[in-house]
Amino acid sequence: MALTDDAIEKIKAMIVSGELRPGDRLPPEKELAEHLGLSRNSLREAVKALEIIRVLDVRRGDGTYVTSLEPHLLLEAISFVIDMHDDDSLLELFAVRRMLESQAAGIAAQAASDEQSRALIDEVASIDAETVTVDDLVAHDVRFHSDIVRLTGNGYLLSLVESLSSRTIRARVWRGLTEQDAVERTISEHRAIAEAIAQHDSALATSLATAHVAGIERWLRQATSA
């Protein structure tokens, strides 16, 4: 295993240094093994491992290429791990969301243009608490949180938060169906966060986002212990 790890590190170093770029085709196996001072066996195992985590794309009969290295590709392995967790892990997932999304809201408040801020406020205003269905509310919730993280300009953070968010949808539907005033509370909290971002108040946006996700954690903790 140590030899395979060494091979992985050497290929990674070629990518990090720019010797191999996204979309580049790797040299033939024999040539690359000699260049890196590896056995062809170790190189082959390293390529398999890097293919699994979407760093390399092995095209049968064509060659092996560096993928686009886009965040959504590289974070697929994390999505798989999240999907394999059971409901007992939901509180931990929400805790991670709280930590990441509160900071994202603070950054968004610094970075958002007037147009982007208005779009966020309009998203909240598009939801009518009197008529919205639970499914529509959850769809809005997903859009709203993704839009905030998107404002940070960090593609890796966006992909990670969206992976976490998709795993918590069932709990959000459950809350919407069972908690009194959940719809009104969600819309009100979203509106406050959006307004803090529009006012470029980073500290307030961070605090409001923290309290917002923490409220869902508190509800979930009570619901699962009942």
Side-chain angles (χ1 to χ4, degrees):
M1 189 61 183
L3 292 175
T4 301
D5 290 343
D6 184 45
I8 290 171
E9 286 300 316
K10 287 183 175 180
I11 296 173
K12 185 175 76 173
M14 291 179 71
I15 295 172
V16 171
S17 70
E19 188 176 350
L20 286 173
R21 298 181 180 277
D24 281 357
R25 181 178 177 175
L26 269 64
E29 184 181 272
K30 183 175 183 297
E31 180 183 329
L32 183 58
E34 290 176 353
H35 174 68
L36 296 177
L38 300 167
S39 70
R40 295 177 69 172
N41 227 18
S42 296
L43 178 61
R44 209 169 289 135
E45 291 301 315
V47 168
K48 285 180 184 177
L50 291 170
E51 181 185 20
I52 289 171
I53 61 173
R54 307 301 297 274
V55 171
L56 297 179
D57 178 20
V58 179
R59 305 175 190 174
R60 309 304 172 193
D62 184 7
T64 299
Y65 293 79
V66 179
T67 67
S68 65
L69 302 179
E70 289 292 324
H72 70 277
L73 283 178
L74 300 182
L75 290 171
E76 278 186 4
I78 293 178
S79 299
F80 180 79
V81 171
I82 292 171
D83 288 341
M84 292 297 289
H85 281 209
D86 56 26
D87 288 345
D88 291 339
S89 303
L90 276 178
L91 278 170
E92 293 184 12
L93 294 180
F94 273 111
V96 175
R97 280 191 58 200
R98 169 168 43 83
M99 290 182 276
L100 294 178
E101 294 189 41
S102 61
Q103 295 305 306
I107 296 170
Q110 296 172 343
S113 65
D114 290 344
E115 182 180 358
Q116 290 169 328
S117 297
R118 173 50 55 187
L120 202 58
I121 291 173
D122 288 346
E123 170 62 39
V124 180
S126 70
I127 303 300
D128 183 351
E130 298 296 325
T131 61
V132 69
T133 65
V134 172
D135 285 345
D136 287 342
L137 179 69
V138 172
H140 154 72
D141 190 55
V142 170
R143 287 195 304 271
F144 179 77
H145 286 273
S146 291
D147 287 347
I148 290 174
V149 180
R150 193 173 287 109
L151 290 175
T152 67
N154 189 318
Y156 288 93
L157 180 60
L158 178 62
S159 293
L160 181 54
V161 168
E162 287 184 339
S163 295
L164 293 168
S165 180
S166 67
R167 185 62 182 84
T168 61
I169 285 177
R170 186 171 61 174
R172 287 140 91 177
V173 171
W174 181 18
R175 184 195 189 201
L177 289 171
T178 61
E179 186 183 31
Q180 186 177 9
D181 299 329
V183 174
E184 292 81 359
R185 184 179 298 109
T186 297
I187 294 172
S188 175
E189 291 175 1
H190 282 186
R191 185 183 300 112
I193 294 169
E195 289 173 352
I197 290 173
Q199 294 162 9
H200 304 294
D201 192 330
S202 180
L204 181 59
T206 299
S207 297
L208 290 171
T210 301
H212 175 58
V213 181
I216 306 174
E217 287 181 79
R218 185 169 55 252
W219 166 82
L220 182 60
R221 189 175 292 108
Q222 292 170 346
T224 54
S225 63

